[in-house]
Amino acid sequence: MARIIVVTSGKGGVGKTTTSASFATGLAMKGHRTVVIDFDVGLRNLDLIMGCERRVVYDLINVINGEAALHQALIKDKHTENLSVLPASQTRDKEALTREGIQAVFDELAKDYEYIICDSPAGIEHGALMALYFADEAIITTNPEVSSVRDSDRILGILQSKSRRAEQNLDPVKEHLLLTRYNPTRVEMGDMLNVEDVQEILAIPLLAVVPESKDVLKASNHGVPVIHQQATDAGQAYNDMVARFLGAELPHRFINAPKKGFFQKVFGSRA
Amino acid sequence: MNSTLTSKQSSAAFQLKGGIYTLTTLELHSSCLSSLSQQLKAMSEKAPHFFQQTPVVLALEKLPAAIDAHTLTAIAGRLRESGMILVAIRSSEQYKLSADRAGVAWLPSQKARPEKNVVMMKQSEQPIPVESHESAQPSQKNETVSEPMPGASASETRIIEQPVRSGQQVYAPGDLIVLSQVSPGAELLAGGHIHVYGPLRGRALAGVKGNPKARIFCHRFEAELISISGQYKLTCKTEQSSWSRHWGKSVLIKLAADHLHISRL
Ligand SMILES: Nc1ncnc2c1ncn2[C@@H]1O[C@H](COP(=O)(O)OP(=O)(O)O)[C@@H](O)[C@H]1O
Ligand SMILES: [Mg+2]
């Protein structure tokens, strides 16, 4: 049985697409057959971050509407084996996303893939509800700020009440907290919530903390998910995320501000 | 034409659903517009956002004398200015037409209801008695965790094991027991007592059908609003009152002599 995992948040710009790209890539790198689907109909940027925008011919909506076969719309990733991307349409109306249509696409994908990753649009409207409806697990992507935490809480409520699992009284959607764009220096200054604050409010298990990092934007601009760059903090954080998701027990990293540098250690701080 | 239109038809444009809502009732005691305005102003200074987009039922039974349509329009205008949205007029039949003209629903007077069932919702020093009652309405309710079970007895206790999240509302006809946390923006409603064995960060309204003996118990008091039998209090950490001392603590809240009292458990 394929696992359907939604990457969601309520709030926009928190790092859902960045996370979907690296998480899906990471699962595939570990040998799991994975497909990542862009549900952000109208915006379409997963393909940019995955670096396959030039190869988009058909999209999710074409498949749902029967205008293209699934295999025509799926794009095989160039860098990673076992990985495919199902892009969103930039032009069409979100209402074209129907439960029946998505169900049919998922049923077909489930024959070939172990993990189906759904990159949700922001908000709690139709597109976001469709992206989470079939989920078995949810990556609650949250930034360390009050508004993002509040929106994540709201999404958790919706997962509990409006997902297929909730409606059919099945085991609840398994929830994971991904705290991203975490800036320990700003957290220590009190500008942002810390890990404990966020966990206290959301009360779901922490999967990983991804630090705020310039490498993320650089990687996106090159169309390479940041998990490919194992020299970077963000790349390592996503690597840890994937490993923990697959059952490894690793200590959390990137939570504390960088220690004093070499010169400060040798000569002492003169501040 | 031999096609029949049933709600089962897959192309149905809508579906009617029942839902239970807590509505604020503004019970008018005087038709004096200036004193109404004054009181509304005083209230919104205390709690600036409390009435933003709040649906309100205007009750006219307690008015000493009948009012004309013109005055009624003026009253509705003042309510709107303070952020409330008039959804219905509750009165004797004489105002039925006015309600229709104002484009709001008309509800029959509830004079016959025994006093015990009437929930007075008023802030301790506030002279406007605002009443809260539930009414069934044919529309869709959002993200409700548990709706009253059909045929459930009025004293039924509900136990909720998962967190109650922002945007969710839980109602129990009898006591409501929540074993987890209640997030900011979540709402608990109970005919009887409310017990929360985690942090209570949202709203808790006990005794909503008019039970002044109902109490609220919580493991960690960080609520946004507390109400018992319609008496309510907006609460926050920085509030200048004896209540802020109990912030984050295990407390019991009860109603005595029309006032809400908080004490440590
Ligand atoms: N860990 C991070 N550090 C720095 N910038 C980030 C990080 N994660 C995401 N971003 C940036 O935040 C913006 C929004 O990210 P995106 O993944 O598109 O969010 P969403 O899909 O939730 O709208 C992008 O410009 C992205 O480069
Ligand atoms: Mg996105």
Side-chain angles (χ1 to χ4, degrees), chain A residues 34-35 38 84-85 190 261:
Chain A
T34 305
V35 56
D38 191 348
S84 300
V85 180

Side-chain angles (χ1 to χ4, degrees), chain A residues 47 55 98 126 165 170 176 205 238 244:
Chain A
D47 50 324
R55 295 195 287 143
T98 60
H126 185 72
R165 285 179 170 271
L170 306 171
H176 308 270
Y238 278 120
R244 277 193 210 102

Side-chain angles (χ1 to χ4, degrees), chain A residues 124 150 153-154 156-158 160-162 175 200-204, chain B residues 142-143 162-163 165-168 181 183-185 199 201 220 224:
Chain A
I124 52 172
R150 176 70 78 104
D153 190 67
R154 192 109 212 231
L156 284 164
I158 291 172
Q160 261 178 40
S161 55
K162 295 202 166 170
E175 301 151 340
E200 166 82 47
I201 299 168
L202 296 180
I204 58 171
Chain B
N142 261 355
E143 299 152 43
Q162 321 95 341
R165 304 283 183 181
S166 176
Q168 293 187 312
Q181 59 175 16
S183 295
R201 302 191 175 109
R220 233 166 89 186
E224 293 173 318

Side-chain angles (χ1 to χ4, degrees), chain B:
Chain B
M1 290 269 285
N2 56 6
S3 70
T4 46
L5 206 82
T6 71
S7 58
K8 283 219 178 93
Q9 202 163 318
S10 64
S11 61
F14 66 86
Q15 192 183 1
L16 289 179
K17 291 197 172 182
I20 288 177
Y21 297 85
T22 300
L23 286 179
T24 299
T25 301
L26 194 143
E27 193 175 68
L28 210 55
H29 289 182
S30 143
S31 56
C32 170
L33 279 174
S34 63
S35 65
L36 174 69
S37 298
Q38 224 175 352
Q39 237 176 299
L40 286 172
K41 191 162 159 271
M43 255 183 166
S44 60
E45 274 166 7
K46 280 209 154 171
H49 303 295
F50 194 64
F51 287 124
Q52 288 309 310
Q53 287 198 324
T54 302
V56 171
V57 177
L58 181 63
L60 303 178
E61 302 95 325
K62 294 271 168 78
L63 277 178
I67 53 173
D68 58 19
H70 179 73
T71 314
L72 194 57
T73 311
I75 291 169
R78 301 290 159 100
L79 299 186
R80 213 173 305 117
E81 280 164 26
S82 73
M84 301 181 202
I85 297 172
L86 186 60
V87 295
I89 288 174
R90 200 184 75 196
S91 64
S92 58
E93 297 250 356
Q94 74 181 112
Y95 297 105
K96 210 170 168 177
L97 193 63
S98 308
D100 186 35
R101 288 209 181 113
V104 299
W106 175 81
L107 302 168
S109 284
Q110 299 187 327
K111 264 184 233 139
R113 286 174 83 188
E115 181 65 19
K116 201 169 153 245
N117 281 337
V118 178
V119 183
M120 301 296 278
M121 182 140 166
K122 60 186 174 192
Q123 201 159 13
S124 305
E125 314 81 8
Q126 292 302 336
I128 294 186
V130 185
E131 173 187 307
S132 167
H133 67 93
E134 300 138 28
S135 81
Q137 304 214 329
S139 100
Q140 196 161 0
K141 190 165 153 194
N142 261 355
E143 299 152 43
T144 303
V145 173
S146 40
E147 298 192 41
M149 304 272 273
S153 88
S155 61
E156 198 195 322
T157 300
R158 299 199 87 86
I159 301 179
I160 305 291
E161 305 198 23
Q162 321 95 341
V164 185
R165 304 283 183 181
S166 176
Q168 293 187 312
Q169 192 185 54
V170 181
Y171 170 76
D175 292 352
L176 177 58
I177 299 171
V178 179
L179 301 180
S180 186
Q181 59 175 16
V182 179
S183 295
E187 190 167 67
L188 305 181
L189 297 160
H193 307 300
I194 293 177
H195 305 254
V196 181
Y197 292 94
L200 169 58
R201 302 191 175 109
R203 300 164 155 231
L205 296 88
V208 292
K209 280 181 274 177
N211 176 5
K213 293 215 171 94
R215 293 182 180 194
I216 295 171
F217 305 83
C218 66
H219 186 63
R220 233 166 89 186
F221 168 71
E222 294 174 11
E224 293 173 318
L225 177 140
I226 290 292
S227 165
I228 294 176
S229 190
Q231 297 275 353
Y232 72 88
K233 184 170 175 61
L234 294 161
T235 49
C236 67
K237 189 179 185 176
T238 52
E239 173 203 26
Q240 295 300 308
S241 90
S242 56
W243 286 51
S244 55
R245 281 190 289 120
H246 300 288
W247 197 258
K249 300 295 190 301
S250 198
V251 304
L252 143 70
I253 296 154
K254 64 179 178 186
L255 197 59
D258 272 3
H259 282 271
L260 291 169
H261 290 274
I262 185 167
S263 58
R264 214 60 74 80
L265 268 180

Side-chain angles (χ1 to χ4, degrees), chain A residues 16-17 40 45 119-121:
Chain A
K16 290 180 293 296
T17 301
D40 207 345
N45 53 34
D119 178 20
S120 173

